[in-house]
Amino acid sequence: MELRVGTGALAERLSCLIGPRASVARGVLDQHGRSESYYPAMPPDIVVFPETTQEVSAIVGLCADAGMPIVPFGAGTSLEGNAAAAAGGVCFDFARMNKVLAVHDADMDVVVQPGITRKQLNAELRTTGLFFPIDPGADASIGGMSSTRASGTMAVRYGTMKDNVLALEVVLADGRVIRTAKRARKSAAGYDLTRLFVGSEGTLGVITEITLKLHPLPQAISAATCSFPTLHDAVDTAIALIQSAVPAARIELVDDVMMRGINAYSKLGYREAPTLFLEFHGSEAAVAEQAQTAEAIASEHGGRGFAWAKAAEDRSRLWHARDNTLYAGLGLRPGARAVITDVCVPISRLAECLTETRRDADASGFLAPIVGHVGDGNFHMLILVDPSDDSELAGAKALQARMVARAIAMDGTCTGEHGIGLGKIDYLEDELGGAVAVMRAIKAALDPAGLMNPGKIFAGGAPS
């Protein structure tokens, strides 16, 4: 295959360093150019599979010498083109750096490499009585989740990645290796570099080690579904639960369009109406009390058909259906791709934002199911488009722009958990104004050559 100028020499140097774990095979490159997003494939020039921090440091140094872009890659589940090789370059696949390095049971923390996925991590922890609760739905890598500041279905109780990452080991753009913090649960020592790198999407450095908070496995877990006459009723129930201090672990909303997709994809028989998926963690007595309160509050807001799932297999079936809403949504229009977008607003504005967005999508003629982590004001819309129809794609982007503008006007954010990537670049300054210039200054200080995941967060706009 024909290589970009300079790629051949770098590929040879990488092969000398790590042997066949440096690849220019077309199939490998193409695999690393795709994601769950609707963007066209953007393959890198070289893919490397490092096994140690020392190898990552050495490879970054070679890339810096060659002026070659560096793109970290986890499980490939990002939704805003976060790991796309927009400028080509070297893709760092961390599949071989997937180990648990240390478990500190007494301190309830764990040290892991970036390639381990959340499900692999919890399987490793199963004998400890502890677990890692952040669940973005996909079996994402911990490195990718840290890089995008992921959250998901249990954030309402356990927080997001920024709340659960204690420390990082990071390789900087010049190959230096730094640690951002120790394992202490609090520190006032200098700048909070850990939170600087969490959510930086690989634009400031390459994460090679993560120290995470763990949480005790609950004694009892109970889940439930309940349908409502309107989206507003469902959101009002979620808000009332939070304001009543019910410590729900998950409060998920699925609209009637998505419920239709879930029933078809997962072979279920839910009522096709706005529906809350709930889960409660704690002692047997606490879970029973939370469930009773939740059912009473839902009833006050028109909830019906409250169905409880206490057995592990029943809960697994329920959350499997919720976690696969991307594929369930795509099944509503075979052959379509989804322009997937998310916003987050203060919960007091959530019902207004969500219902206006639903109305806008319907008026625009798009099949666009909605799901939401409504316990923290975050929701997602899947705008289903014909990928070959430019007018549909333009209409979907316009619908997304109105959704984002609506959220920002309500003191919200253009992305609750997907990150900026390629897809939200145009909205960052609308949301944060002059703060973006400060971000650019940090980027320039840490990555003066602009090699770290270029084209993300600060580029002039998303590719067409």
Side-chain angles (χ1 to χ4, degrees):
M1 59 175 287
E2 183 177 348
L3 298 178
R4 193 170 68 163
V5 175
T7 303
L10 178 59
E12 288 182 11
R13 296 181 73 183
L14 290 170
S15 293
C16 290
L17 180 66
I18 61 173
R21 290 184 285 115
S23 177
V24 295
R26 173 51 57 190
V28 175
L29 302 182
D30 288 345
Q31 175 189 351
H32 290 81
R34 297 189 296 267
S35 70
E36 300 285 8
S37 68
Y38 69 91
Y39 297 106
M42 299 179 198
D45 297 300
I46 307 171
V47 177
V48 294
F49 298 86
E51 293 182 343
T52 66
T53 297
Q54 291 70 32
E55 284 188 349
V56 173
S57 175
I59 296 168
V60 167
L62 291 176
C63 291
D65 290 343
M68 190 66 70
I70 295 163
V71 184
F73 186 94
T77 59
S78 60
L79 297 174
E80 293 290 358
N82 312 75
V90 177
C91 174
F92 286 60
D93 186 319
F94 286 100
R96 290 173 177 263
M97 291 180 66
N98 64 347
K99 298 179 180 61
V100 173
L101 300 177
V103 179
H104 305 106
D105 302 55
D107 297 317
M108 294 196 298
D109 69 55
V110 64
V111 184
V112 302
Q113 292 180 309
I116 193 168
T117 69
R118 64 177 185 87
K119 289 183 180 179
Q120 290 171 340
L121 172 57
N122 279 321
E124 293 275 349
L125 295 171
R126 63 182 176 273
T127 61
T128 66
L130 302 169
F131 82 121
F132 181 66
I134 309 304
D135 177 3
D139 189 20
S141 70
I142 298 299
M145 290 170 64
S146 300
S147 292
T148 56
R149 203 182 302 141
S151 52
T153 60
M154 284 197 271
V156 65
R157 175 157 182 166
Y158 297 101
T160 70
M161 286 303 286
K162 73 177 177 62
D163 305 303
N164 286 277
V165 175
L166 290 171
L168 297 169
E169 178 184 79
V170 181
V171 176
L172 301 180
D174 58 5
R176 283 180 296 159
V177 181
I178 66 166
R179 289 186 177 273
T180 63
K182 300 294 188 180
R183 288 195 301 114
R185 286 298 175 110
K186 61 191 250 185
S187 171
Y191 297 141
D192 190 344
L193 295 180
T194 304
R195 288 197 177 188
L196 174 63
F197 284 98
V198 171
S200 64
E201 302 185 36
T203 62
L204 301 179
V206 180
I207 296 171
T208 54
E209 190 177 292
I210 304 110
T211 303
L212 299 166
K213 290 181 186 177
L214 298 177
H215 299 260
L217 280 167
Q219 177 188 343
I221 302 175
S222 186
T225 59
C226 182
S227 63
F228 295 84
T230 69
L231 283 171
H232 211 295
D233 293 325
V235 174
D236 285 347
T237 298
I239 293 171
L241 280 170
I242 293 166
Q243 293 177 340
S244 299
V246 176
R250 310 196 216 208
I251 309 177
E252 297 290 295
L253 171 67
V254 176
D255 78 348
D256 56 321
V257 183
M258 185 59 85
M259 287 305 298
R260 177 156 47 94
I262 284 175
N263 280 340
Y265 182 82
S266 297
K267 306 296 187 294
L268 298 171
Y270 289 122
R271 184 166 175 257
E272 292 176 4
T275 300
L276 288 182
F277 286 58
L278 306 167
E279 187 167 275
F280 305 96
H281 295 179
S283 67
E284 292 282 359
V287 165
E289 182 181 355
Q290 293 165 26
Q292 184 178 19
T293 302
E295 191 163 1
I297 290 173
S299 179
E300 292 172 5
H301 292 88
R304 54 179 289 193
F306 225 96
W308 288 102
K310 296 182 180 179
E313 59 271 22
D314 294 332
R315 295 198 314 273
S316 177
R317 189 180 305 113
L318 185 156
W319 292 113
H320 182 269
R322 167 59 186 87
D323 286 348
N324 283 278
T325 49
L326 169 58
Y327 307 109
L330 288 171
L332 291 168
R333 187 180 177 183
R337 293 298 299 271
V339 177
I340 307 168
T341 187
D342 81 311
V343 296
C344 188
V345 296
I347 60 168
S348 62
R349 305 299 299 275
L350 179 60
E352 179 186 2
C353 189
L354 207 156
T355 53
E356 286 186 17
T357 299
R358 175 75 276 161
R359 192 179 303 119
D360 189 5
D362 292 342
S364 300
F366 282 104
L367 189 58
I370 289 175
V371 298
H373 312 307
V374 292
D376 51 20
N378 185 202
F379 70 94
H380 312 253
M381 184 163 62
L382 284 67
I383 311 170
L384 303 181
V385 299
D386 178 348
S388 65
D389 189 328
D390 291 341
S391 63
E392 279 201 17
L393 187 55
K397 289 182 176 179
L399 176 58
Q400 173 184 254
R402 293 192 298 274
M403 174 179 170
V404 169
R406 188 177 298 120
I408 292 174
M410 294 180 181
D411 213 15
T413 176
C414 66
T415 175
E417 59 185 18
H418 293 174
I420 297 296
L422 295 167
K424 294 291 181 70
I425 289 170
D426 294 336
Y427 309 124
L428 190 60
E429 289 203 26
D430 293 341
E431 179 177 333
L432 297 175
V436 177
V438 177
M439 295 182 189
R440 288 182 183 275
I442 294 170
K443 166 74 170 173
L446 293 179
D447 181 24
L451 298 181
M452 288 290 178
N453 207 8
K456 313 300 166 54
I457 301 181
F458 300 119
S464 59

